[in-house]
C-alpha cells in the first residue's frame, strides 16, 4: 500500500529536479532624477516577466549597468515599489579582485 504513495510522491517531486532555471532577460530602464532633471538609461533584470512587463520584488537586489558620460557603472539596486538603500556592496566578476 505504501508503494503507490511513494511512487506518486517521487513523480510529483521529479519536476523539481530538472535543473532548469528560468531565463533572465535584461531590460532597459530609463530614469529622471527628480532634483536635477538629469536622465539616465541602463539595463537590469527582474523577478517576474509577463507579456512585456517586468516586476521586481521588495527586499531583493538586482544587478544594474548604466553608462554615464561615457563611463560604465555597474552596481546593485533594490527592487519593489519603494527603493531601500543597498549599503556597501562588493562585486567580483570572473577572476578579478572584488
Amino acid at each position: 500500500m505504501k508503494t503507490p504513495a511513494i511512487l506518486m510522491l517521487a513523480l510529483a517531486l521529479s519536476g523539481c529536479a530538472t535543473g532548469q532555471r528560468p531565463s533572465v532577460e535584461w531590460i532597459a530602464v530609463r530614469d529622471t532624477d527628480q532634483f536635477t532633471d538629469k536622465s539616465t538609461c541602463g539595463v537590469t533584470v527582474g523577478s517576474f516577466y509577463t507579456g512585456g512587463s517586468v516586476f521586481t520584488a521588495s527586499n531583493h537586489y538586482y544587478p544594474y549597468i548604466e553608462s554615464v558620460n561615457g563611463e560604465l557603472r555597474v552596481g546593485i539596486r533594490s527592487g519593489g515599489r519603494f527603493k531601500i538603500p543597498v549599503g556597501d556592496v562588493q562585486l567580483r566578476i570572473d577572476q578579478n579582485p572584488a
Side-chain angles (χ1 to χ4, degrees):
M1 196 60 131
K2 289 184 179 181
T3 304
I6 292 173
L7 181 60
M8 293 298 286
L9 181 61
L11 288 173
L13 294 177
S14 66
C16 298
T18 61
Q20 294 179 349
R21 297 173 61 180
S23 64
V24 174
E25 297 179 25
W26 288 88
I27 57 158
V29 176
R30 295 187 185 277
D31 193 21
T32 302
D33 187 286
Q34 62 184 355
F35 297 107
T36 64
D37 293 328
K38 186 175 182 180
S39 295
T40 59
C41 184
V43 293
T44 190
V45 296
S47 291
F48 309 104
Y49 302 90
T50 59
S53 297
V54 178
F55 300 95
T56 57
S58 296
N59 299 323
H60 285 79
Y61 298 113
Y62 300 92
Y64 183 78
I65 303 170
E66 69 179 350
S67 178
V68 177
N69 297 328
E71 181 180 314
L72 187 63
R73 295 183 182 177
V74 178
I76 303 291
R77 282 191 170 177
S78 65
R81 184 176 205 172
F82 303 104
K83 306 299 181 200
I84 59 174
V86 296
D88 293 334
V89 176
Q90 286 188 349
L91 296 176
R92 181 171 180 175
I93 300 171
D94 297 330
Q95 299 301 319
N96 297 306

